[in-house]
Amino acid sequence: MEQQLNELKETVLLKIDEATSVKELNDVRIAYLGKKGPITDLLKGMGKLPADERPKMGALVNVSRETVTEVLERRMAILEQQAINEQLDKEKIDVTLPGRPALQGNHHPLTRVVEEIEDFFISMGYEVAEGPEVEKDYYNFEALNLPKGHPARDMQDSFYISEEVLLRTHTSPVQARTMEAKQGAPVKIICPGKVYRRDNDDATHSHQFTQIEGLVIGEDIRMSDLKGTLSLFAKKMFGSEREIRLRPSFFPFTEPSVEMDISCFKCGGDGCNVCKKTGWIEILGAGMVHPNVLSMAGYDPSVVSGFAFGMGPERIAMLKYGVEDIRHFYTNDIRFVSQFHRTEA
Ligand code: PHE
């Protein structure tokens, strides 16, 4: 039996030596040292030995098992380290590979145009005012000299929510609200915001779009103030060479009312496809605040006067950046919006 044990030990040691991977070595452990292995068999077989030989034999088996286990563990440690090294080698990162560029967020082109317009007027001493998009008929129409049944209400097809409430069709209700809140004090505001009209969407129309309204109220505010302000604005947005012209127009809340054109920034006035061969491009509507609007808001039209203007930042952005379809602003195709990313920090 002792010989059997020695042979077995030699075989196991040889197998341990031959194992070249953690898995192979584990197989050896299970095959020889496991519950069903030959060493366990040997221990079980000891019952057949004469009683006086059993302790000696038992001790021998235990010592052999300990030796084998120790050798196996040492070998296991080596093989494990080897496996780790191999894996590290395989997974080595090539630091010379170019990295994946991180996409950087940016302001939407429309937001940027709105901010550019705001910055100009803020630099002229205006404050930014806001109002609700779900608006009362009173502020959207009545307070702006558009009583119920007035034919000019049809100029702006509306989304009504109830008889008295609608989605605002322009940002002008903010001027009515601001004047009412100021209780006769001077006003100098711009009101940017979303507006809604029952239009069919196409390349130049959208049922939801953006407007910026401007309003100045005070003593001795004249048409020439409006003209000077808008002229500076046109130069700031479209280049210092720009001329403006005011054409008579109609808005129920201003009298007189005008539409403002700028000289074409592409051809300089000679006539091209941008200005449709006229040399002029229509930019906004404006006028002197109607006396009815002033008195409805609690001002005395014989003491104060004011001017107002309203424009569409989409139109300004489309002209400025050559965008051909207004819907690009709302679908947020990354290929479109990223064209306008600022490169500077
Ligand atoms: N609210 C007008 C519109 O939407 C624009 C405008 C504003 C005209 C202020 C004159 C003065 O058409």
Side-chain angles (χ1 to χ4, degrees), residues 156 169-170 172 175 197 211 213-214 251 253-254 285-287 308-310:
Q156 304 176 355
T169 56
H170 49 179
S172 306
Q175 56 158 295
R197 288 190 197 175
Q211 273 197 344
E213 179 100 359
F251 299 104
F253 29 89
T254 47
F309 55 86

Side-chain angles (χ1 to χ4, degrees), residues 110 113 117 203-204 209-211 237-238 247 259-262 265 274-276 280-285 310-323 326 329-330:
L110 202 50
V113 170
I117 298 170
T204 53
F209 58 102
T210 320
Q211 273 197 344
M237 289 303 285
F238 292 100
R247 279 180 291 108
E259 265 168 275
M260 181 184 94
D261 299 337
I262 57 167
F265 49 84
V274 173
C275 59
K276 299 194 189 94
W280 295 94
I281 302 170
E282 186 193 318
I283 293 290
L284 54 78
M311 66 183 108
E314 278 92 342
R315 178 165 168 74
I316 291 183
M318 285 168 85
L319 286 168
K320 204 169 158 165
Y321 299 114
V323 177
I326 194 170
F329 291 117
Y330 316 118

